[in-house]
Amino acid sequence: MSTPAGGTGRRAAALAALHERWDHVPLSERLVSIIVVLLGTGLALAGLASSTLLERELVEQIDAKLKNERFQQVRDLFDPAAPWGADATTPSDYYVVAQAGWRAQALVRNPYTVEEYGTPRIPTGLSAGSPRMGHPYTVASDRTGSRWRVVSFPYAEGSDVVLSVALPLRGVDDAASSMTWILLASGGALMVIGAIVGGWAVQRSLRPLRQIEDTAAAIAAGDLSQRVPSPPTTTEVGRLGAALNGMLTQIEQAFAARTASEARMRRFVADASHELRTPLAAIRGYAELYRMGALTTSDQVDDTMRRIEGSARRMGSLVEDLLALARLDEGRPGRVGPVDLTVLAADAVSDLRAIDPDRPVRLETLAPHGPVVVEGDETRLRQVLANLVGNAAQHTPAGTPVEVRVGPAGTDEDGRATALLEVRDHGPGIAPEHAARVFERFYRVDASRTRESGGSGLGMAIVAAIVTSHDGRVGIAQTPGGGTTVRVVLPVDGPRPAPGDPVGDGSAGRGDDGSETGAGTPGTRGGALPPSDVATMARPTSPS
């Protein structure tokens, strides 16, 4: 004997199985099934309502006949004084019964009607006080499948004779049955047509989804340039397609950026390895000469040691440049404070005059009066000027004039005031095909890899990284009359604080090397650079 709990469990399992099967049905079949079910339900309700209303209307018509058309005729036919037991035969379908107490007599009946529809089973014992008086009601027949509609009323006021007039309902039943079959047939045809048209409409509506599926498969195969069709965005599929196309564009751009970054990284590692291989090969060669006893005099040994020292210095300079770029790429903050660009420019001019006394060097201040002060990292900005001035001295003939210009530069696209640093020379200049790439790492206009001529190609990359870290911009243009002009524009109010950086909160922080730093000052971003960074930035990198 099953328990209620067991029956509930079986029902739950059956529902779960049904849900699982439904989940595996394709969306198009689900939609068509829902359309057919809804259409069938609507047609069934409409058919039921139509049949019911038709049957009610026909019955009301019969009731009207029973109540209004035959009362007077029946009174004229019936004579209470006449002997009971005789009846009249008429060509109509009316069946009339007279009752007096428990005695009843059929007054009017058509034998053909009785043969076809049977005799109505009118209740006996009706009286003038019966609640059925004057109200039509339905009774069964002695023939299966037949019904009669009856209305009963007293023969006259105060009379105990009750007359019951009946009409068969076979016509009503046949009309309702025919109506039902017609509705069933038309409903079935409409459901078939609805399934066909609905399936076509669903397939047509889901065509963009299949196109999206094909596009996704092509993208999964590696073709990131594919895009899904874009129907009008007023539709759900159109909005989905637009959103997917936006996402695919971002993915393609991200993959392209990653591919380009990986290519740059491979090129960077290859160039760094090539740069380090030359001094390492020199050191190894001189060491092998010393080990083989080829250096017999002290002058040869001293010269070899000097060359080994130069190669080691070259490797150290390259490693420090790479370290500086790595720290800039990481976004390690420096100490940001007021920096007078005029002082930095004057120091750079003085340094160049000390290095090359025969070269004409001039400082031009574009400010009408007063210093040009920006918020920035003084050590790194000195590095920018040192690299630019060093490049001008390295890559122009002796005696070529160099000018360093400093002053205000108006406002940027964000409306912030900016300052200008400009180093221009009057040398041979840089070809346009090289000018667009001088800020790439390890890129050299001179393909030579010797320190005395070509450099490592990192100086201008460091300049670009430092300027970018200050929210500035740097570019190269031709000097009027010949030469190269490097233009650096920096925001006066300094770089915008990175999210989460303490700005002027006076709290102690932790430096890049993990040591505790002092409290930050207003306008700074983080604490001071660690000694290794300061040493790297204070030394001008080799010209690129």
Side-chain angles (χ1 to χ4, degrees), residues 118-206:
T119 302
R121 294 178 178 177
I122 300 174
T124 58
L126 294 176
S127 63
S130 175
R132 291 187 175 182
M133 291 295 103
H135 299 290
Y137 57 94
T138 302
V139 298
S141 173
D142 58 2
R143 186 180 297 277
T144 304
S146 180
R147 298 182 303 155
W148 290 78
R149 191 70 171 170
V150 182
V151 61
S152 301
F153 53 92
Y155 174 72
E157 185 176 354
S159 173
D160 60 350
V161 177
V162 175
L163 298 178
S164 296
V165 183
L167 277 175
L169 292 179
R170 176 71 65 82
V172 174
D173 294 338
D174 291 344
S177 177
S178 299
M179 181 70 172
T180 300
W181 283 109
I182 292 173
L183 290 176
L184 286 176
S186 60
L190 288 176
M191 289 179 65
V192 172
I193 296 173
I196 296 173
V197 175
W200 173 82
V202 168
Q203 293 293 332
R204 183 177 178 83
S205 300
L206 294 181

Side-chain angles (χ1 to χ4, degrees), residues 279 282-283 286 301-312:
I283 292 174
Y286 289 128
V301 173
D302 292 341
D303 182 66
T304 299
M305 291 299 106
R306 180 180 58 81
R307 293 178 181 276
I308 291 175
E309 184 180 3
S311 297

Side-chain angles (χ1 to χ4, degrees), residues 14-369:
L15 288 175
L18 182 62
H19 288 163
E20 184 177 0
R21 292 187 60 183
W22 178 254
D23 291 339
H24 288 81
V25 176
L27 179 59
S28 58
E29 296 182 12
R30 291 192 201 181
L31 294 176
V32 173
S33 300
I34 292 173
I35 291 173
V36 171
V37 169
L38 291 178
L39 183 61
T41 303
L43 290 174
L45 293 176
L48 179 62
S50 300
S51 299
T52 303
L53 291 175
L54 176 64
E55 182 178 3
R56 182 181 300 175
E57 179 65 23
L58 294 177
V59 169
E60 288 178 354
Q61 291 178 7
I62 291 179
D63 292 344
K65 287 183 179 180
L66 291 173
K67 294 171 65 176
N68 301 325
E69 296 182 7
R70 290 301 178 180
F71 283 180
Q72 188 60 39
Q73 296 180 20
V74 170
R75 288 194 179 97
D76 294 342
L77 288 172
F78 176 65
D79 182 5
W84 287 49
D87 57 3
T89 300
T90 64
S92 68
D93 289 336
Y94 283 93
Y95 189 95
V96 181
V97 175
Q99 295 183 13
W102 295 99
R103 187 177 56 170
Q105 177 185 356
L107 300 181
V108 178
R109 64 177 179 176
N110 188 325
Y112 301 103
T113 301
V114 172
E115 181 181 358
E116 183 176 0
Y117 303 121
T119 302
R121 294 178 178 177
I122 300 174
T124 58
L126 294 176
S127 63
S130 175
R132 291 187 175 182
M133 291 295 103
H135 299 290
Y137 57 94
T138 302
V139 298
S141 173
D142 58 2
R143 186 180 297 277
T144 304
S146 180
R147 298 182 303 155
W148 290 78
R149 191 70 171 170
V150 182
V151 61
S152 301
F153 53 92
Y155 174 72
E157 185 176 354
S159 173
D160 60 350
V161 177
V162 175
L163 298 178
S164 296
V165 183
L167 277 175
L169 292 179
R170 176 71 65 82
V172 174
D173 294 338
D174 291 344
S177 177
S178 299
M179 181 70 172
T180 300
W181 283 109
I182 292 173
L183 290 176
L184 286 176
S186 60
L190 288 176
M191 289 179 65
V192 172
I193 296 173
I196 296 173
V197 175
W200 173 82
V202 168
Q203 293 293 332
R204 183 177 178 83
S205 300
L206 294 181
R207 187 183 304 167
L209 293 182
R210 289 193 295 273
Q211 294 173 339
I212 291 174
E213 178 183 357
D214 296 338
T215 303
I219 292 173
D223 186 4
L224 296 179
S225 63
Q226 291 287 331
R227 294 294 180 271
V228 300
S230 297
T233 54
T234 54
T235 63
E236 291 79 1
V237 176
R239 289 193 292 271
L240 174 62
L244 287 177
N245 283 335
M247 181 188 68
L248 293 175
T249 300
Q250 293 184 357
I251 292 175
E252 183 181 15
Q253 292 174 352
F255 270 93
R258 189 185 71 175
T259 302
S261 176
E262 291 175 351
R264 286 194 301 269
M265 179 60 66
R266 287 192 294 268
R267 187 170 63 250
F268 179 83
V269 172
D271 288 338
S273 301
H274 191 94
E275 288 289 337
L276 291 172
R277 183 174 60 182
T278 301
L280 284 174
I283 292 174
R284 186 168 57 248
Y286 289 128
E288 289 179 356
L289 286 176
Y290 180 80
R291 179 174 53 81
M292 294 169 59
L295 306 177
T296 57
T297 64
S298 60
D299 291 339
Q300 290 176 335
V301 173
D302 292 341
D303 182 66
T304 299
M305 291 299 106
R306 180 180 58 81
R307 293 178 181 276
I308 291 175
E309 184 180 3
S311 297
R313 189 181 300 111
R314 180 180 176 185
M315 284 193 302
S317 176
L318 179 61
V319 170
E320 289 178 356
D321 289 349
L322 293 174
L323 180 61
L325 281 173
R327 286 169 175 163
L328 287 169
D329 289 343
E330 291 177 359
R332 293 192 182 186
R335 180 175 293 279
V336 178
V339 179
D340 190 345
L341 296 183
T342 308
V343 173
L344 267 60
D347 291 345
V349 168
S350 298
D351 292 342
L352 183 55
R353 285 173 178 165
I355 296 172
D356 191 354
D358 298 330
R359 182 184 297 271
V361 183
R362 184 162 53 96
L363 173 63
E364 297 182 15
T365 58
L366 304 178
H369 44 266

